[in-house]
C-alpha cells in the first residue's frame, strides 16, 4: 500500500513561532499593542494581556509593522516578498495591498521603515534596504507606500555587505541612522546628506535608536558600551557621551517620549533606566525572565514593553516599573554555549488535565493546553538562581532532564553538571493541590543516582493507592520508590522513600516501563530484556534476549528460493541459486576449519586478499600502463593498485620522486609534523580553565586515537605501493662515486619476476560486530497487556510474555516512541524522520509518512469527543498525535482546516431557549424563592418549576463570562439575552376551571408563573357548614391570591421599590407556609 499517494493529512502547527523576533508597536492611546508572529499580526489589550484580534492576511513573513503618522487607524506592514499591506486595525479589515516595484524579482527586502515624507500618496513613504544575492552590496531606495513606485533621491551613501540596523526619526528632526559592522551613518532624508563615523575600538554595533523629540541618537556595541550622539549634522559639531554598565553586549535601547530617559537591556537580564542629564543616576529592574530583546515605550510614557528571549512580553509601568501584565506564548529556554538540547525531557502528557508538559524557560516546566491553544502556567521546579551569560565563559544552569506524571503526583529529575565538579542530582516529588490548582513540593531526594537520570516512570497514571515510581540512573542502578508516613516532626503526612534497588551485571540501562496493572517492571539492559516483580525487584523473574542476527546488529545473509518455478524465470539463474544454496548448506554442516577460513577471507573482500594476475608479456605492459594512466575517473592510489595487479613497475624523475616521497612520508608513513602538533596541544591544556580542560582533554584523546588508527591502516596500503614506484629500499638505485643517484627517467622497468607481498588485512578494519542496545521498552494495554515492544538500533521486537517467545519484528531504526493506551497504537519516529503507526499484536503499518521535520518528542492527546469510527479507517479517531519539532513548534497531522480544539462542545448562545429546569432561578424573585424552598425542604414537597438547572450553561453565566473588550455592541445582543430569560406562561390558567386542561398541579393546586399555588376558582364556597379550620384556610388562600395578583399587575416600565417588593414577598411566603401547615 502506497501511503504517500493516498495520504490526505497535512502537517499543521498548533503552537510555536516567535512573538519577540520583532519589536511590538503601541497604539496611539497605548491601550493596544501589535505583535508580529511570522505572517500574522496579533492585537493584545495592554490592560489584561489578552488577545483581541488576529490579522492574518499576509502571505509572507512580515519584516516591518508601523502606524501611519497622519492616520493612526492605519497599520502598515511590509513582507519579505515586497507586499505593502494596510489594515484598519480597529475594524480588522485590509484596506489595500500594494506590491513594491522592485528592480529584480530575486531581490530580498532587508528592512522597511516609514519616514515623515508624503509625496503623491495618502500614506507616508518608506525607506527600504534590499539585497539581490548573498554576498552582494546592500542597496537602498525610497518608495511610495500608496502606489509602490520608487522616488528618485540623490545621495552618495554606499552601504557594505552586512545587513544594516536602521532606525528613523519621525519628529521635527528628520534623520535616518544606519549601522553596518562598526560603521555608523547619519542621513538627513530632507537634504540626503550624510555623515559616517566609526565605532570605538572597532566594536560591532548591536542596536541603534533615534529620539523623537530632539537631535539625539544612541548606539550600543558588543562590549556593553552605549554612546549617546548629539548634534550630528556635521563631523565638527558632533558630540557623544559614554554610558557603560553592561558587561555583555547590549541587545536593545529605547528613549522615553520626552527624551529625558534611556532604557537599555542585555544578556544580564536586567532593565536599566538612564537619566541622560545625570548618567550616574540609574534605576534597575533585575531578575527578568530571560535575555532582553526589545524595549518599546508608549507615547504617554505610561507603559514599557520588554520582550525577553524566552518568547514572553512583559508590560511595565512607566513610572514605577512594576509588572502590569505578561503575554506568554510558547516559551523555551534560550540558546547557550553548552551545546545541550533545549527539550531534554521531550513531550509529556499530564493525565489529570490532558495538557502538554515540556521544558520551558530555565528551571521551569510549561503546561500547554492544546484544547484551548493557550499557555496555562510555568511551574518553577529548580529552586536555585539562574546564572546569566558571560562573554568568554560557558555558564551552566540546572536542567530538568526527566519527568513523569500521575493523576495526583509529578516526579522530576534535575541535574547540574559543570564538567568540573561532581554532578548535583535531585529527585523531586510534587503533589497536586486542589486549593492552589498547582503542584506543591512534597519530597526532595539529594543524589538518588550518580551522573543523572535515564528514565522516570510511575506504575500507573490514574491509580493513587499502592503507587510506585521507578527511576533509572547513569550509574546503571534502578530504584523503586513508594509512599510512606512522614517521620518529620515539622510536617505530618506522606512522603516518598526508596523501597528497593537493583542492577543486572552492571549493564547499561536503555529504558524502563511498568505493565498496565503495575505488577511487572521491564528493563532493557544492553540487548537483554529483564522482567521484575514491581513489589520486590531484587532479582529478575525472566530475562529475554534475541538470537544473533534478529536484533539487526550481527551481520547475516538472506537467501530466498521459490518453492515452485515462477513464470518467466531464466533456468540458468535458478540453477545458480540452487548451487549457491547447496554450497551454503555444505559450509554450515561441515566443521572444516580451512573451509571456514576461506569463507572468512571471502567476507573480508577481494581488495584485502587480491592475487596478482598472470604475468603479461613485456610488449603488452606498456599498453596497459598507458591505458591505465589515461583513465581520468581513477585516482593515483587506484591506478597504482591496478599497476600492481598487472605486475607493472615504473620509475619517475628524481625531482618528482623526492616530492612524492616527502609527501608520503609526512602524510602517511611517518607523520612527524602531526605528532609534534599533538604534543604541543597537549602541553597547552594546562593554560585552559579547569571548566574547559576536561572537555578539551577528551576531544584531544579522541583525535589522537583516530590518528593512531589511521596510522595503523593507511601506511600498510601506501608502503605496498612503494615497490610499484620503486621507492622502497629494495628498488633504491645505486650511488655513483660522486654520490648522485643513477636511474632512468620515465622508463618502464619490465621484470619477469615480480615479488609482491600480499598484505594482511588488519583486525581493526573489520566491521564492528557487537550486541544490540535496547533504547525503548513499552508494554501493551487491555487485551494486549501481555505484549512488550522493544526497540534496538535497527529493529522493533514484539515479545509475548505468555509464551516467552518473540512474536514479531520490524526493521525500523527508532529514535522516539509514543504509546496510546486507549487504542494500543504505537507511533515511532525513525532516524530517517519517518513516522510509522502500528499495533503490537498486528505489526502492520496503519499509517506511514516520510520527510517529517526533526522532532524532540511525541505524545498522544485524547480527544474530548472521540469519533465513532474504527482505527483502520481513522487512526486518530480516539487520540491525536502531537509532535514537538526542532523549530520549537507543536505540530500535528490532520485534514486541512481541522485542529485538536475542533471537538469542543458547542457553546450555548443567547438565542437558545432557557432550560425548563433553570427558568425559575432567573425569574423576578427566583433567588429568594429558591432560598426559602431550601430552608423548608424538610416538610415541603417538590414542585415542577422550582427545579434547579445547570448554571454553567445558562445565558447569564455566558453573558457574565464574556470579556469586556471582546463583547459586541449591546444593541446586538440585548434582545436575544432578554428573550432567553423570558418564561412562557399562560395567563388564562388563573381563570380556567375546566377539568380537561393540562395544568401544572401540585398537591391539588395550580402553580402560576411565580411558583405560587392558587385554587380552581376565585369565588368563596357557598357551603355554610364548613368548620373554622376550613374557613381559615380559605381566607389565607384568598389573601395569598390577592397579593400575587398585585405583583403580577404591576406595570413593567414603572420603577419599583425594592423594599416594598421584599416585604410583599415575605408576606406571600408566610401565607404559603401557613396554608401548608
Amino acid at each position: 500500500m502506497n501511503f504517500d499517494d493516498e495520504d490526505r493529512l497535512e502537517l499543521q502547527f498548533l503552537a510555536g513561532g516567535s512573538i519577540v523576533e520583532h519589536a511590538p508597536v503601541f497604539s496611539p492611546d497605548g491601550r493596544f499593542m501589535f505583535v508580529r508572529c511570522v505572517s500574522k499580526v496579533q492585537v493584545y489589550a495592554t490592560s489584561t494581556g489578552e488577545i483581541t484580534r488576529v490579522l492574518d492576511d499576509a502571505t509572507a513573513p512580515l519584516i516591518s509593522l508601523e502606524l501611519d503618522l497622519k492616520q493612526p487607524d492605519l497599520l502598515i506592514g511590509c513582507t519579505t516578498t515586497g507586499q505593502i499591506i494596510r489594515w484598519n486595525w480597529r475594524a480588522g479589515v485590509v484596506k489595500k495591498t500594494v506590491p513594491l516595484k522592485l528592480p529584480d524579482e530575486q531581490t530580498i527586502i532587508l528592512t522597511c521603515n516609514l519616514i515623515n515624507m508624503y509625496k503623491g500618496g495618502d500614506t507616508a513613504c518608506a525607506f527600504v534596504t534590499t539585497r539581490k544575492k548573498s554576498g552582494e552590496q546592500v542597496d537602498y531606495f525610497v518608495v511610495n507606500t500608496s502606489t509602490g513606485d520608487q522616488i528618485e533621491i540623490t545621495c552618495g551613501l554606499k552601504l557594505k555587505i552586512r545587513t544594516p540596523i536602521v532606525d528613523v526619526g519621525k519628529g521635527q528632526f528628520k534623520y535616518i541612522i544606519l549601522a553596518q559592522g562598526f560603521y555608523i551613518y547619519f542621513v538627513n532624508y530632507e537634504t540626503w546628506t550624510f555623515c559616517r563615523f566609526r565605532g570605538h575600538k572597532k566594536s560591532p554595533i548591536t542596536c541603534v535608536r533615534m529620539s523623537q523629540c530632539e537631535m539625539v541618537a544612541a548606539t550600543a556595541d558588543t562590549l556593553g558600551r552605549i554612546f549617546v550622539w548629539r548634534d550630528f549634522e556635521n563631523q565638527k559639531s558632533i558630540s557623544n557621551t559614554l554610558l557603560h554598565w553592561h558587561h555583555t553586549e547590549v541587545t536593545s535601547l529605547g528613549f522615553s517620549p520626552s527624551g529625558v530617559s534611556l532604557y537599555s537591556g542585555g544578556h544580564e537580564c536586567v532593565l536599566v533606566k538612564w537619566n541622560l542629564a545625570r548618567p550616574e543616576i540609574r534605576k534597575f529592574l533585575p531578575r527578568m525572565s530571560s535575555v532582553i530583546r526589545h524595549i518599546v515605550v508608549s507615547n504617554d510614557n505610561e507603559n514599557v514593553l520588554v520582550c525577553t528571549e524566552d518568547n514572553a512580553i512583559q508590560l511595565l509601568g512607566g513610572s514605577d516599573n512594576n509588572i502590569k501584565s505578561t503575554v506568554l506564548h510558547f516559551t523555551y529556554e534560550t540558546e547557550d554555549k553548552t551545546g545541550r538540547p533545549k527539550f531534554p525531557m521531550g513531550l509529556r502528557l499530564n493525565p489529570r488535565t490532558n495538557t502538554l508538559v515540556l521544558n520551558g524557560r530555565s528551571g521551569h516546566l510549561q503546561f500547554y493546553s492544546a484544547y484551548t491553544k493557550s499557555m496555562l502556567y510555568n511551574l518553577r521546579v529548580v529552586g536555585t538562581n539562574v546564572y546569566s551569560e558571560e562573554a568568554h565563559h560557558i555558564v551552566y544552569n540546572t536542567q530538568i532532564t526527566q519527568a513523569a506524571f500521575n493523576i495526583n503526583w509529578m516526579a522530576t529529575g534535575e541535574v547540574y553538571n559543570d564538567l568540573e565538579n561532581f554532578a548535583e542530582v535531585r529527585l523531586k516529588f510534587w503533589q497536586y493541590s486542589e486549593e492552589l490548582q498547582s503542584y506543591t513540593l512534597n519530597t526532595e531526594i539529594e543524589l538518588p543516582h550518580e551522573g543523572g537520570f535515564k528514565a522516570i516512570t510511575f506504575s500507573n497514571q490514574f491509580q493513587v493507592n499502592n503507587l510506585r515510581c521507578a527511576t533509572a540512573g547513569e550509574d546503571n542502578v534502578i530504584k523503586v520508590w513508594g509512599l510512606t508516613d512522614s517521620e518529620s516532626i515539622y510536617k505530618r503526612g506522606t512522603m516518598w522513600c526508596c523501597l528497593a534497588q537493583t542492577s543486572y551485571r552492571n549493564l547499561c540501562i536503555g529504558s524502563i516501563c511498568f505493565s498496565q496493572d503495575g505488577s511487572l517492571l521491564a528493563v532493557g539492559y544492553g540487548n537483554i530484556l529483564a522482567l521484575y516483580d514491581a513489589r520486590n525487584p531484587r532479582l529478575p523473574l525472566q530475562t529475554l534476549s534475541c538470537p544473533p542476527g534478529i536484533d539487526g546488529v550481527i551481520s547475516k545473509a538472506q537467501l530466498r528460493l521459490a518453492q515452485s518455478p515462477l513464470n518467466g524465470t531464466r533456468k540458468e539463474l535458478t540453477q545458480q541459486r540452487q548451487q549457491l544454496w547447496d554450497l551454503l548448506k555444505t559450509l554450515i554442516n561441515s566443521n572444516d576449519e580451512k573451509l571456514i577460513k576461506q569463507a572468512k577471507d571471502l567476507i573480508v573482500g577481494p581488495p584485502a586478499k587480491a592475487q596478482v594476475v598472470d604475468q603479461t608479456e613485456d610488449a603488452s605492459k606498456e599498453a596497459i600502463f598507458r591505458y591505465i594512466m589515461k583513465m581520468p575517473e581513477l585516482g593515483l592510489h587506484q591506478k597504482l593498485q591496478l599497476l600492481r595487479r598487472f605486475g607493472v613497475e615504473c620509475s619517475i624523475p628524481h625531482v618528482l620522486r623526492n616530492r612524492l616521497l616527502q609527501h608520503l612520508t609526512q602524510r602517511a608513513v611517518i607523520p612527524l609534523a602531526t605528532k609534534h602538533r599533538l604534543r604541543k596541544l597537549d602541553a597547552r591544556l594546562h593554560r585552559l580553565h579547569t571548566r574547559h580542560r576536561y572537555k578539551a582533554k577528551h576531544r584531544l584523546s579522541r583525535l589522537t586515537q583516530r590518528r593512531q588508527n589511521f596510522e595503523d591502516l593507511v601506511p600498510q596500503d601506501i608502503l605496498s605501493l612503494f615497490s610499484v614506484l620503486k621507492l622502497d629500499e629494495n628498488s633504491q638505485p645505486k650511488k655513483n662515486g660522486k654520490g648522485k643517484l643513477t636511474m632512468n627517467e620515465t622508463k618502464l622497468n619490465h621484470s619477469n619476476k615480480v615479488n609482491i607481498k600480499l598484505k594482511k588485512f588488519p583486525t581493526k578494519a573489520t566491521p564492528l560486530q557487537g550486541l544490540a542496545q535496547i533504547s525503548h521498552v513499552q508494554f501493551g494495554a487491555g487485551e494486549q497487556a501481555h505484549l512488550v515492544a522493544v526497540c534496538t538500533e535497527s529493529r522493533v521486537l514484539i515479545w509475548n510474555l505468555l509464551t516467552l517467545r518473540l512474536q514479531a519484528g520490524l526493521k525500523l531504526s527508532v529514535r522516539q516512541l509514543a504509546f496510546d493506551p486507549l487504542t494500543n497504537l504505537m507511533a515511532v519516529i525513525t532516524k530517517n524522520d519517518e513516522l510509522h503507526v502500528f499495533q503490537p499484536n498486528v505489526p502492520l503499518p496503519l499509517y506511514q509518512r516520510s520527510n517529517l521535520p526533526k522532532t524532540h518528542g511525541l505524545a498522544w492527546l485524547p480527544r474530548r469527543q472521540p469519533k465513532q469510527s474504527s482505527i483502520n479507517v481513522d487512526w486518530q479517531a480516539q487520540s491525536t498525535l502531537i509532535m514537538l519539532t526542532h523549530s520549537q513548534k507543536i505540530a500535528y497531522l490532520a485534514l486541512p482546516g481541522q485542529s485538536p480544539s475542533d471537538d469542543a462542545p458547542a457553546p450555548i448562545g443567547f438565542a437558545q431557549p432557557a432550560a425548563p429546569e433553570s427558568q425559575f432561578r432567573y425569574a423576578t424573585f427566583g433567588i429568594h424563592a429558591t432560598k426559602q424552598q431550601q430552608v423548608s425542604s424538610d416538610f415541603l414537597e417538590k414542585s415542577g418549576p422550582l427545579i434547579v438547572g445547570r448554571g454553567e450553561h445558562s445565558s447569564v453565566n455566558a453573558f457574565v463570562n464574556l470579556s469586556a473588550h471582546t463583547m459586541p455592541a449591546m444593541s446586538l445582543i440585548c434582545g436575544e439575552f432578554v428573550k432567553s430569560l423570558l418564561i412562557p406562561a399562560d395567563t388564562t390558567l388563573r381563570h380556567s376551571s375546566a377539568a380537561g386542561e393540562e395544568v401544572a398541579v401540585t398537591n391539588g393546586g395550580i402553580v402560576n408563573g411565580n411558583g405560587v399555588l392558587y385554587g380552581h376558582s376565585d369565588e368563596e364556597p357557598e357551603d355554610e357548614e364548613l368548620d373554622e379550620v376550613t374557613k381559615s384556610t380559605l381566607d389565607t388562600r384568598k389573601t395569598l391570591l390577592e397579593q400575587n395578583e398585585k405583583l403580577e399587575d404591576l406595570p413593567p416600565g414603572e420603577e419599583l421599590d425594592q423594599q416594598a417588593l421584599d416585604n410583599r414577598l415575605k408576606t406571600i411566603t408566610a401565607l404559603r407556609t401557613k396554608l401548608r401547615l
Side-chain angles (χ1 to χ4, degrees):
M1 180 177 181
N2 192 353
F3 290 92
D4 295 336
D5 297 339
E6 301 181 3
D7 189 9
R8 297 181 300 166
L9 303 182
E10 293 182 357
L11 186 66
Q12 304 179 26
F13 295 99
L14 181 68
S18 177
I19 62 174
V20 298
E21 184 178 357
H22 307 281
V25 179
F26 269 112
S27 62
D29 54 0
R31 294 178 54 195
F32 300 95
M33 58 181 176
F34 311 99
V35 178
R36 278 177 286 171
C37 184
V38 193
S39 59
K40 299 180 180 179
V41 179
Q42 300 172 352
V43 185
Y44 291 89
T46 56
S47 58
T48 60
E50 296 184 5
I51 187 170
T52 61
R53 186 176 288 113
V54 177
L55 309 177
D56 54 355
D57 302 286
T59 58
L62 292 166
I63 61 170
S64 69
L65 189 69
E66 295 182 70
L67 292 173
D68 189 69
L69 303 180
K70 295 183 179 179
Q71 305 179 58
D73 289 343
L74 284 184
L75 189 65
I76 302 177
C78 179
T79 64
T80 55
T81 57
Q83 293 285 335
I84 299 292
I85 304 176
R86 292 193 291 178
W87 286 281
N88 186 332
W89 61 270
R90 295 188 184 274
V93 296
V94 177
K95 296 197 64 176
K96 190 176 183 182
T97 301
V98 179
L100 295 181
K101 298 178 181 179
L102 302 175
D104 191 359
E105 296 180 355
Q106 298 180 355
T107 302
I108 302 175
I109 297 180
L110 303 178
T111 62
C112 180
N113 300 80
L114 296 181
I115 58 179
N116 192 0
M117 178 189 298
Y118 291 82
K119 289 188 176 182
D122 56 345
T123 56
C125 298
F127 179 79
V128 181
T129 59
T130 60
R131 179 191 289 130
K132 293 183 179 180
K133 295 181 180 179
S134 178
E136 292 189 359
Q137 187 176 356
V138 176
D139 196 6
Y140 63 93
F141 50 86
V142 178
V143 297
N144 189 340
T145 56
S146 300
T147 60
D149 297 331
Q150 296 187 19
I151 299 176
E152 295 184 1
I153 58 174
T154 303
C155 184
L157 175 62
K158 293 184 179 180
L159 298 178
K160 300 184 180 298
I161 299 176
R162 296 185 180 182
T163 301
I165 305 172
V166 185
D167 192 34
V168 177
K170 303 180 179 64
Q172 179 182 359
F173 304 94
K174 301 180 180 180
Y175 278 88
I176 302 173
I177 179 173
L178 298 93
Q180 275 190 314
F182 50 82
Y183 287 103
I184 306 167
Y185 304 90
F186 295 97
V187 182
N188 188 330
Y189 59 85
E190 285 185 332
T191 61
W192 294 107
T193 57
F194 70 95
C195 298
R196 190 184 77 167
F197 302 94
R198 188 173 63 183
H200 185 61
K201 293 184 179 180
K202 296 184 178 180
S203 299
I205 305 299
T206 57
C207 56
V208 297
R209 189 67 62 215
M210 284 285 299
S211 177
Q212 303 300 325
C213 60
E214 55 183 343
M215 191 182 295
V216 177
T219 61
D221 57 14
T222 56
L223 299 180
R225 297 172 301 181
I226 303 173
F227 291 92
V228 179
W229 305 77
R230 300 178 185 272
D231 301 329
F232 37 76
E233 292 180 348
N234 53 65
Q235 296 184 359
K236 296 181 179 180
S237 61
I238 193 169
S239 63
N240 57 10
T241 305
L242 174 62
L243 308 178
H244 196 184
W245 179 86
H246 301 273
H247 68 278
T248 56
E249 67 172 277
V250 181
T251 56
S252 181
L253 296 172
F255 280 99
S256 62
S258 60
V260 177
S261 303
L262 175 67
Y263 295 88
S264 64
H267 290 269
E268 303 87 0
C269 305
V270 177
L271 180 65
V272 185
K273 183 178 181 180
W274 304 81
N275 190 333
L276 296 182
R278 301 180 61 184
E280 66 276 4
I281 299 178
R282 299 185 293 263
K283 293 183 180 180
F284 303 95
L285 182 60
R287 291 180 294 277
M288 302 294 288
S289 60
S290 183
V291 178
I292 298 175
R293 279 299 166 201
H294 301 287
I295 301 173
V296 183
V297 187
S298 61
N299 296 332
D300 54 1
N301 201 23
E302 292 293 331
N303 300 314
V304 179
L305 279 180
V306 179
C307 302
T308 53
E309 205 172 41
D310 60 347
N311 214 19
I313 301 176
Q314 297 184 10
L315 183 68
L316 311 177
S319 58
D320 51 4
N321 288 339
N322 292 329
I323 298 179
K324 293 183 178 180
S325 60
T326 302
V327 177
L328 276 179
H329 211 259
F330 187 66
T331 62
Y332 44 82
E333 192 172 357
T334 57
E335 292 282 355
D336 52 13
K337 304 175 185 178
T338 60
R340 296 174 179 175
K342 290 186 177 181
F343 304 96
M345 60 171 282
L347 193 62
R348 297 287 188 270
L349 182 69
N350 185 5
R352 185 179 187 89
T353 56
N354 286 337
T355 54
L356 301 176
V357 186
L358 61 159
N359 294 92
R361 58 181 59 155
S362 182
H364 291 71
L365 290 180
Q366 57 178 328
F367 291 75
Y368 186 86
S369 175
Y371 299 141
T372 60
K373 296 183 180 180
S374 62
M375 174 66 61
L376 299 183
Y377 55 88
N378 274 275
L379 178 65
R380 182 168 184 176
V381 176
V382 179
T384 59
N385 292 332
V386 179
Y387 304 117
S388 59
E389 297 182 12
E390 297 183 10
H392 303 289
H393 298 281
I394 300 178
V395 178
Y396 294 89
N397 284 298
T398 304
Q399 196 173 29
I400 306 170
T401 58
Q402 293 293 335
F405 293 89
N406 177 265
I407 194 172
N408 200 31
W409 293 93
M410 177 181 69
T412 59
E414 57 187 60
V415 180
Y416 174 78
N417 188 5
D418 59 354
L419 304 179
E420 181 179 356
N421 302 306
F422 195 78
E424 300 178 11
V425 183
R426 297 182 187 89
L427 176 64
K428 295 181 180 180
F429 291 95
W430 306 74
Q431 187 175 12
Y432 190 82
S433 174
E434 293 287 350
E435 298 177 357
L436 302 177
Q437 292 294 307
S438 182
Y439 288 92
T440 58
L441 183 62
N442 178 270
T443 308
E444 180 178 354
I445 298 100
E446 292 284 345
L447 202 64
H449 296 279
E450 295 182 3
F453 295 93
K454 287 288 188 65
I456 301 177
T457 181
F458 281 106
S459 59
N460 197 298
Q461 289 186 346
F462 303 98
Q463 181 182 356
V464 179
N465 298 328
N466 299 324
L467 186 63
R468 297 287 187 270
C469 180
T471 60
E474 297 287 348
D475 52 359
N476 301 329
V477 175
I478 293 178
K479 293 186 178 181
V480 178
W481 309 82
L483 282 169
T484 60
D485 294 332
S486 176
E487 299 177 356
S488 176
I489 62 175
Y490 302 101
K491 183 180 180 181
R492 296 297 181 182
T494 59
M495 60 174 291
W496 290 80
C497 67
C498 183
L499 303 179
Q501 67 178 28
T502 183
S503 62
Y504 187 76
R505 298 181 183 178
N506 199 24
L507 293 176
C508 182
I509 301 174
S511 178
I512 60 176
C513 182
F514 278 99
S515 59
Q516 185 182 15
D517 57 355
S519 60
L520 291 179
L521 175 63
V523 184
Y525 292 104
N527 69 325
I528 299 175
L529 177 64
L531 300 175
Y532 291 92
D533 185 359
R535 296 171 296 178
N536 186 18
R538 301 292 181 181
L539 294 176
L541 302 177
Q542 293 289 341
T543 56
L544 306 175
S545 61
C546 297
I550 297 182
D551 52 14
V553 176
I554 305 298
S555 57
K556 65 176 182 177
Q558 292 184 354
L559 181 64
R560 299 180 180 179
L561 297 177
Q563 298 294 333
S564 59
L566 301 177
N567 295 330
T569 305
R570 297 171 57 182
K571 295 182 179 180
E572 55 270 19
L573 294 179
T574 306
Q575 294 177 359
Q576 292 178 4
R577 293 174 182 174
Q578 190 64 38
Q579 292 176 0
L580 179 59
W581 175 243
D582 296 339
L583 179 61
L584 290 175
K585 287 197 299 183
T586 304
L587 177 62
I588 294 173
N589 297 329
S590 64
N591 295 324
D592 190 0
E593 296 181 357
K594 183 177 180 180
L595 187 60
I596 295 176
K597 184 177 180 181
Q598 291 178 359
K600 289 183 177 181
D601 294 340
L602 290 175
I603 292 176
V604 168
K609 296 293 182 179
Q611 301 290 336
V612 180
V613 298
D614 296 337
Q615 298 296 323
T616 57
E617 298 295 334
D618 296 343
S620 61
K621 286 185 177 181
E622 185 176 357
I624 293 174
F625 172 77
R626 292 177 179 176
Y627 183 81
I628 292 176
M629 299 304 293
K630 289 180 180 179
M631 299 174 68
E633 62 272 13
L634 298 180
L636 177 61
H637 185 274
Q638 296 171 333
K639 292 178 181 179
L640 294 178
Q641 287 282 7
L642 288 176
L643 293 176
R644 185 178 164 216
R645 297 284 181 87
F646 286 99
V648 178
E649 297 181 1
C650 60
S651 59
I652 57 177
H654 177 68
V655 179
L656 299 180
R657 187 182 67 85
N658 290 339
R659 292 176 59 185
L660 182 59
L661 181 61
Q662 183 180 3
H663 175 75
L664 296 177
T665 301
Q666 292 179 354
R667 298 295 179 182
V669 183
I670 309 174
L672 297 178
T674 303
K675 292 182 179 179
H676 186 60
R677 186 164 58 252
L678 292 177
R679 290 195 193 100
K680 283 186 176 181
L681 291 176
D682 191 23
R684 294 179 180 178
L685 288 180
H686 71 280
R687 303 180 184 179
L688 298 177
H689 191 271
T690 53
R691 181 177 298 169
H692 313 293
R693 190 182 304 167
Y694 172 78
K695 185 182 293 186
K697 182 70 175 178
H698 179 68
R699 295 177 62 184
L700 187 60
S701 62
R702 294 287 300 274
L703 176 62
T704 306
Q705 184 64 31
R706 291 196 302 268
R707 186 69 191 182
Q708 186 64 35
N709 295 338
F710 175 77
E711 294 174 4
D712 293 342
L713 296 177
V714 178
Q716 300 182 24
D717 293 337
I718 300 298
L719 288 174
S720 61
L721 301 179
F722 278 15
S723 59
V724 181
L725 298 176
K726 299 185 69 174
L727 295 176
D728 54 353
E729 297 179 355
N730 298 329
S731 61
Q732 288 290 341
K734 297 181 179 180
K735 296 182 180 180
N736 53 15
K738 298 182 181 180
K740 296 183 179 180
L741 295 175
T742 58
M743 59 180 301
N744 297 326
E745 296 180 0
T746 63
K747 183 177 181 181
L748 292 177
N749 183 13
H750 307 286
S751 59
N752 296 328
K753 297 180 180 180
V754 180
N755 186 14
I756 302 177
K757 296 182 180 180
L758 297 176
K759 70 183 180 76
K760 294 182 179 180
F761 202 88
T763 307
K764 295 182 180 180
T766 57
L768 296 177
Q769 297 181 358
L771 299 176
Q773 299 294 326
I774 295 177
S775 58
H776 297 85
V777 178
Q778 181 60 55
F779 272 95
E783 297 179 355
Q784 306 175 21
H786 62 286
L787 301 179
V788 183
V790 175
C791 302
T792 63
E793 289 92 337
S794 57
R795 294 292 189 274
V796 177
L797 307 175
I798 310 297
W799 288 93
N800 191 331
L801 298 186
L802 299 180
T803 60
L804 297 181
R805 292 180 180 274
L806 192 64
Q807 180 166 319
L810 299 172
K811 292 183 179 180
L812 296 175
S813 299
V814 177
R815 188 176 70 245
Q816 291 161 356
L817 181 144
F819 176 71
D820 183 20
L822 299 179
T823 57
N824 270 304
L825 286 179
M826 290 187 180
V828 296
I829 296 290
T830 64
K831 296 179 180 179
N832 298 326
D833 301 324
E834 298 176 352
L835 173 64
H836 297 264
V837 181
F838 60 90
Q839 284 186 317
N841 62 339
V842 184
L844 297 177
L846 292 175
Y847 181 77
Q848 292 179 351
R849 189 183 182 95
S850 58
N851 299 325
L852 286 176
K854 296 288 184 180
T855 56
H856 286 289
L858 301 174
W860 288 93
L861 179 67
R863 290 181 177 269
R864 287 181 288 185
Q865 292 184 351
K867 299 180 181 179
Q868 300 299 325
S869 59
S870 173
I871 60 174
N872 296 322
V873 178
D874 185 4
W875 57 276
Q876 295 189 106
Q878 303 292 326
S879 303
T880 305
L881 184 63
I882 305 295
M883 294 171 284
L884 176 62
T885 65
H886 275 210
S887 59
Q888 302 169 1
K889 296 181 179 180
I890 296 180
Y892 62 96
L893 293 170
L895 295 175
Q898 293 185 0
S899 68
S901 60
D902 292 342
D903 59 348
I908 293 182
F910 296 144
Q912 297 180 357
E917 64 269 15
S918 61
Q919 288 180 355
F920 189 75
R921 168 181 289 190
Y922 305 109
T924 308
F925 300 103
I927 297 177
H928 301 280
T930 305
K931 291 182 180 180
Q932 182 64 31
Q933 183 194 14
Q934 293 175 355
V935 173
S936 59
S937 60
D938 296 336
F939 55 88
L940 290 180
E941 297 180 2
K942 295 182 180 179
S943 58
L946 294 179
I947 297 176
V948 179
R950 295 189 303 169
E952 62 270 18
H953 287 169
S954 64
S955 301
V956 175
N957 278 351
F959 184 78
V960 171
N961 291 332
L962 280 177
S963 299
H965 58 277
T966 60
M967 184 182 297
M970 190 61 65
S971 60
L972 299 177
I973 64 174
C974 185
E976 298 294 340
F977 176 70
V978 173
K979 289 179 182 179
S980 66
L981 299 180
L982 294 179
I983 300 172
D986 190 1
T987 58
T988 61
L989 289 178
R990 292 178 297 154
H991 308 287
S992 175
S993 59
E997 290 184 1
E998 295 182 358
V999 294
V1001 180
T1002 302
N1003 289 340
I1006 302 176
V1007 182
N1008 66 358
N1010 287 327
V1012 183
L1013 298 174
Y1014 59 89
H1016 290 281
S1017 175
D1018 294 341
E1019 300 178 356
E1020 295 183 2
E1022 299 178 355
D1023 191 0
E1024 300 178 355
E1025 298 180 356
L1026 292 176
D1027 53 3
E1028 297 179 358
V1029 178
T1030 307
K1031 291 181 179 180
S1032 177
T1033 303
L1034 294 176
D1035 294 338
T1036 303
R1037 178 176 296 177
K1038 184 177 180 180
T1039 306
L1040 182 62
L1041 292 175
E1042 291 177 355
Q1043 295 290 340
N1044 183 38
E1045 289 178 358
K1046 291 180 181 181
L1047 290 177
E1048 290 184 348
D1049 294 338
L1050 288 175
E1054 183 181 352
E1055 295 184 359
L1056 303 178
D1057 187 5
Q1058 186 66 29
Q1059 188 67 27
L1061 293 177
D1062 291 343
N1063 294 334
R1064 292 181 182 180
L1065 178 64
K1066 291 179 181 179
T1067 304
I1068 292 175
T1069 306
L1071 291 174
R1072 180 183 176 184
T1073 304
K1074 183 178 179 180
L1075 180 63
R1076 286 291 181 184
L1077 294 175

